[in-house]
Amino acid sequence: MRLTEFAELTDLEFGRRRADAMLNDHVLVELGGRTGAQAIEDGVDPREVWRALCREFDVPPERW
């Protein structure tokens, strides 16, 4: 998944402000105790970050 697609999905699902806050502030245990932004910076595929966010925030699987 490209970062532009990831950004579009997070903005659509959570809204831009909430998505930005989630990526920078919310620690995802599933991603080694990193925020989504840290995980992407560390080279984690944005698709994995997207799925972790979806699981954490109970996004219905059909929207993953």
Side-chain angles (χ1 to χ4, degrees):
M1 172 184 290
R2 294 185 336 239
L3 283 174
T4 54
E5 183 181 4
F6 174 79
E8 289 172 9
L9 288 171
T10 57
D11 287 354
L12 284 172
E13 185 64 40
F14 305 111
R16 176 160 291 177
R17 286 181 191 224
R18 184 172 182 219
D20 287 345
M22 289 168 56
L23 287 172
N24 291 300
D25 300 331
H26 187 78
V27 173
L28 296 158
V29 174
E30 181 176 338
L31 297 177
R34 297 176 284 190
T35 66
Q38 289 169 327
I40 289 172
E41 188 175 306
D42 290 345
V44 175
D45 185 331
R47 182 179 312 274
E48 289 182 45
V49 177
W50 170 246
R51 289 180 179 161
L53 287 169
C54 288
R55 284 188 284 275
E56 182 81 13
F57 290 96
D58 297 320
V59 174
E62 61 271 10
R63 294 201 310 254
W64 292 14

